Amino acid sequence: MMSSVPSDRCVEKLSVNGKKDQLQVSFDMLRDSLSKYQEAVGAAKTKRLSDIVSNCHRPCVLFSTINAVINPPTACFVETPATCENFLRFFCW
């Protein structure tokens, strides 16, 4: 059974073909496929989060999941020359 939602490989192929032939129909196909793909990803994400919320019996896990979605973690490690030097000393000396 074929799915009506294009795979990411299909979207990539349409993108390459559209760049090669520069036809409007190729760009229209790409836009349509990309839209369907994004809708499918959004629906899958919504279903996954809905399943987590409805089947979670531990409030701590539930609230940490919701917090991770609402406030995604930021980069906690900043690379500086001093940090790299300390890393090198710790592991190599």
Side-chain angles (χ1 to χ4, degrees):
M1 181 171 99
M2 292 294 292
S3 173
S4 63
V5 178
S7 67
D8 56 345
R9 184 176 293 174
C10 177
V11 172
E12 183 180 344
K13 185 176 179 183
L14 285 172
S15 175
V16 170
N17 288 345
K19 288 178 183 176
K20 282 183 183 178
D21 62 17
Q22 297 290 317
L23 294 176
Q24 184 63 40
V25 68
S26 296
F27 289 116
D28 292 343
M29 289 171 53
L30 173 63
R31 187 179 60 230
D32 183 49
S33 295
L34 191 57
S35 175
K36 287 180 183 177
Y37 180 74
Q38 289 174 338
E39 287 174 12
V41 168
K45 182 178 179 182
T46 300
K47 183 178 181 336
R48 171 78 173 129
L49 292 174
S50 175
D51 290 345
I52 289 172
V53 170
S54 64
N55 295 328
C56 187
H57 302 290
R58 296 183 303 181
C60 182
V61 173
L62 175 63
F63 288 116
S64 67
T65 302
I66 292 172
N67 186 42
V69 170
I70 294 173
N71 303 313
T74 58
C76 60
F77 182 75
V78 179
E79 297 175 14
T80 63
T83 310
C84 294
E85 228 15 79
N86 291 337
F87 182 83
L88 178 67
R89 271 193 221 115
F90 182 79
F91 285 105
C92 297
W93 298 37

